[in-house]
């Protein structure tokens, strides 16, 4: 049976965080607010917990979850290298709505799914999420929804989809933005890559903002679709 806590209520916040930490420690799932949309979270270093996360969403191993971290130092422990342009992105957009894909640290013992040797990392701008990340370490977190459904922007919406597959729900109120993070692939900056950063998903951070930081390292903007009716 799931437990539900109103994290806006001081009397429920502390027991809610305690129950959430305990659930993560047991390899169970939680739903928590982030600065973008609500997330379903699991211990990133528990293969069974990550598998349960994917199963709860109705997702396969071909769609590995991103990993949320408490800051740049944790990111450095998870990735093979943090190139200077990525440091600039982190300085500008973290904590916030930018997820960065890099080659993962090969010595790590974890299984997020079919990652092809990469990991997608983000530091959220949400005090509840950051407190859990400080206490629990990196968490595998995906949007709290069933695959094919819209991402949950409040805890009750998440519960209506995920039900008792999640042990603890932390309700922080409606999402402030309700827009998923932008995801960029920065693997081309590492080793003998092509030195380009590619936008995999547009979201909270615009291409224009990314270009302000990256300049020509950002892939060219896509060509606008040709409108045949204007011919």
């Amino acid at each position: 049976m799931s437990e539900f806590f109103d994290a806006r209520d001081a009397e429920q916040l502390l027991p809610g965080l305690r129950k959430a930490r305990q659930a993560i420690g047991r390899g169970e799932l939680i739903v928590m607010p982030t600065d973008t949309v609500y997330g379903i979270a699991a211990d990133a270093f528990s293969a069974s917990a990550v598998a349960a996360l994917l199963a709860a969403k109705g997702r396969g191993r071909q769609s590995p979850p991103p990993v949320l971290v408490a800051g740049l130092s944790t990111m450095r422990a998870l990735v093979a290298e943090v190139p200077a342009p990525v440091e600039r992105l982190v300085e500008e957009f973290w904590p916030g709505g930018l997820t960065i894909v890099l080659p993962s640290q090969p010595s790590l013992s974890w299984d997020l799914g079919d990652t092809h040797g990469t990991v997608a990392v983000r530091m959220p701008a949400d005090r509840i999420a950051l407190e859990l990340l400080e206490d629990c370490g990196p968490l595998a977190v995906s949007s709290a929804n069933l695959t094919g459904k819209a991402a949950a922007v409040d805890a009750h919406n998440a519960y209506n989809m995920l039900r008792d597959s999640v042990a603890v729900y932390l309700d922080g109120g409606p999402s402030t933005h309700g827009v998923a993070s932008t995801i960029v692939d920065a693997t081309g900056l590492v080793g003998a890559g092509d030195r380009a950063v590619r936008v995999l998903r547009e979201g909270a951070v615009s291409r224009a903002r990314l270009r302000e930081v990256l300049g020509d390292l950002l892939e060219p903007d896509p060509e606008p679709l040709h409108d045949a009716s204007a011919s």
Side-chain angles (χ1 to χ4, degrees):
M1 186 69 124
S2 302
E3 294 187 89
F4 217 95
F5 297 89
D6 187 345
R8 297 163 295 182
D9 181 342
E11 293 187 358
Q12 294 190 45
L13 175 59
L14 289 180
L17 287 171
R18 184 177 68 252
K19 289 285 190 177
R21 289 192 296 267
Q22 292 170 348
I24 292 292
R26 291 192 299 266
E28 296 174 339
L29 306 179
I30 69 168
V31 160
M32 64 183 191
T34 78
D35 51 324
T36 54
V37 295
Y38 271 73
I40 178 173
D43 179 357
F45 291 97
S46 169
S48 60
V50 174
L53 185 158
L54 294 174
K57 285 177 60 78
R59 225 174 194 184
R61 287 177 52 83
Q62 71 279 4
S63 300
V67 174
L68 295 192
V69 297
L72 179 58
S73 60
T74 308
M75 178 193 195
R76 290 188 190 282
L78 300 183
V79 303
E81 180 184 334
V82 181
V86 171
E87 291 198 13
R88 297 199 299 271
L89 288 174
V90 167
E91 183 177 344
E92 182 69 24
F93 299 116
W94 280 16
L98 181 67
T99 300
I100 304 170
V101 179
L102 283 166
S104 59
Q105 177 62 251
S107 62
L108 289 178
S109 174
W110 62 356
D111 182 5
L112 297 172
D114 297 337
T115 64
H116 305 289
T118 66
V119 61
V121 189
R122 184 170 86 85
M123 178 186 182
D126 181 272
R127 65 184 184 89
I128 295 171
L130 288 172
E131 187 161 339
L132 284 170
L133 292 166
E134 291 282 2
D135 290 343
C136 301
L139 295 176
V141 181
S142 184
S143 56
N145 60 289
L146 295 174
T147 297
K149 301 288 187 181
V153 293
D154 63 61
H156 292 280
N157 185 211
Y159 177 76
N160 287 338
M161 289 186 276
L162 299 168
R163 299 287 177 174
D164 289 340
S165 62
V166 171
V168 174
Y169 288 82
L170 297 177
D171 182 1
S175 296
T176 306
H177 303 295
V179 178
S181 69
T182 294
I183 302 177
V184 297
D185 179 357
T187 56
L189 300 177
V190 178
D194 58 10
R195 307 300 297 169
V197 175
R198 295 182 173 84
V199 178
L200 302 181
R201 180 180 74 193
E202 296 193 47
V205 178
S206 69
R207 282 177 178 266
R209 294 289 314 284
L210 291 171
R211 195 168 299 284
E212 288 175 8
V213 176
L214 294 172
D216 291 342
L217 288 175
L218 186 67
E219 66 177 352
D221 292 343
E223 293 288 334
L225 292 175
H226 179 63
D227 184 357
S229 65
S231 301

